[in-house]
Amino acid sequence: MSVKIKSKIFFLGCKDVVPLLIPVVPFGIIFGVIGVEAGLGALITFLMSIIIFAGSSQLAFVQLFTSGATTPVILSSVAIINSRHFLYSAVIAQYLTKLTLFWKIILSYFLTDQAFAVSQKYFKKQPNNQQRHYYLLGSGFTLWFVWQLSTVTGIFLGEVIPKELNLGFAVPLTFISLIIIDIKKIDHLIVALSSGIFSIIFFDLPLRIYIIVSAILAILVAYKLSQTKLYRK
């Protein structure tokens, strides 16, 4: 019975994350194409999707690499872009405290933007479910599989994909799809707009640090809103 319950939760995670993966496909294809065109080769491009497994930082890595940036600049930029995962882990960790270190390592690898978006909602609804981590495993694995498949497609089919398709639209669309389902109240909209405005204001900061700066400032806005009647409605 336990295996059946675990499988049910796992596949529920797989199913729930699917709508968020639509823009991930062209995003992965873009990376596959750009990686090969940048001279990394098919193997290195594919291994980046396996090891780094973070689309936005992978693109930043390739762009900085091709522009001749130094190794410290490349590594620090990738680290800053991925720093948002500290926020994800801080939210998710409270639900996974009883898991073994092995499980925590596995789930941290699969804790992507899309997996976090659906998992944190499921965890809130299942506070006493001791098998809820299988939901994160299912959603994270589904994204992983789609990302790898998309990268391979970009590597081998990049030359025959018409440039007129302009697949670059998928990069911002991927992240827009994550927040649009959460903008249900006025306070949610205010925080989202604040984050966007802060990103524009601090865009010229070095090493792409505007990402973490705008996130921190948006969190402060959310905290202030939480103290008002607007938040409570």
Side-chain angles (χ1 to χ4, degrees):
M1 180 63 70
S2 179
V3 174
K4 185 177 180 180
I5 293 175
K6 293 176 182 178
S7 298
K8 182 179 179 180
I9 297 174
F10 176 86
F11 286 112
L12 179 62
C14 296
K15 178 180 71 69
D16 287 349
V17 81
V18 168
L20 299 180
L21 302 186
I22 296 175
V24 171
V25 175
F27 192 172
I29 293 175
I30 291 169
F31 174 71
V33 173
I34 293 177
V36 174
E37 290 182 348
L40 296 178
L43 179 59
I44 297 299
T45 300
F46 178 66
L47 288 178
M48 284 183 66
S49 282
I50 294 285
I51 298 172
I52 300 179
F53 184 37
S56 55
S57 59
Q58 288 178 223
L59 285 176
F61 181 99
V62 173
Q63 291 170 348
L64 291 170
F65 176 80
T66 55
S67 64
T70 62
T71 299
V73 170
I74 294 175
L75 294 179
S76 59
S77 297
V78 170
I80 290 173
I81 292 173
N82 281 340
S83 60
R84 67 188 186 280
H85 290 278
F86 286 115
L87 302 176
Y88 296 165
S89 61
V91 174
I92 293 296
Q94 60 184 311
Y95 301 104
L96 308 178
T97 54
K98 296 182 179 181
L99 294 182
T100 64
L101 179 61
F102 174 79
W103 262 113
K104 290 179 180 179
I105 292 174
I106 295 298
L107 294 177
S108 66
Y109 175 73
F110 287 115
L111 185 58
T112 56
D113 302 290
Q114 291 80 2
F116 170 79
V118 296
S119 294
Q120 59 97 12
K121 292 181 180 180
Y122 178 81
F123 288 173
K124 285 183 178 179
K125 296 177 181 178
Q126 301 287 332
N128 300 316
N129 189 341
Q130 298 302 314
Q131 310 299 336
R132 60 193 169 207
H133 54 285
Y134 282 92
Y135 185 95
L136 174 56
L137 181 64
S139 57
F141 175 79
T142 302
L143 173 60
W144 180 89
F145 180 79
V146 171
W147 180 251
Q148 309 310 323
L149 186 61
S150 301
T151 299
V152 172
T153 302
I155 290 173
F156 290 102
L157 300 181
E159 295 184 358
V160 300
I161 296 176
K163 294 183 178 180
E164 290 76 11
L165 287 179
N166 192 23
L167 296 178
F169 76 93
V171 178
L173 183 61
T174 299
F175 296 98
I176 292 175
S177 66
L178 296 177
I179 66 171
I180 196 66
I181 58 176
D182 282 327
I183 303 179
K184 300 176 181 179
K185 298 181 180 180
I186 184 64
D187 56 301
H188 295 176
L189 179 60
I190 292 174
V191 173
L193 291 176
S194 298
S195 180
I197 292 172
F198 289 138
S199 295
I200 294 173
I201 294 174
F202 298 105
F203 183 78
D204 291 327
L205 289 178
L207 302 179
R208 297 178 180 266
I209 199 174
Y210 76 92
I211 296 174
I212 192 64
V213 170
S214 60
I216 292 174
L217 291 176
I219 290 174
L220 292 176
V221 171
Y223 173 75
K224 288 295 183 180
L225 287 175
S226 69
Q227 309 301 310
T228 68
K229 293 181 179 180
L230 180 65
Y231 178 81
R232 300 185 182 96
K233 288 183 179 180

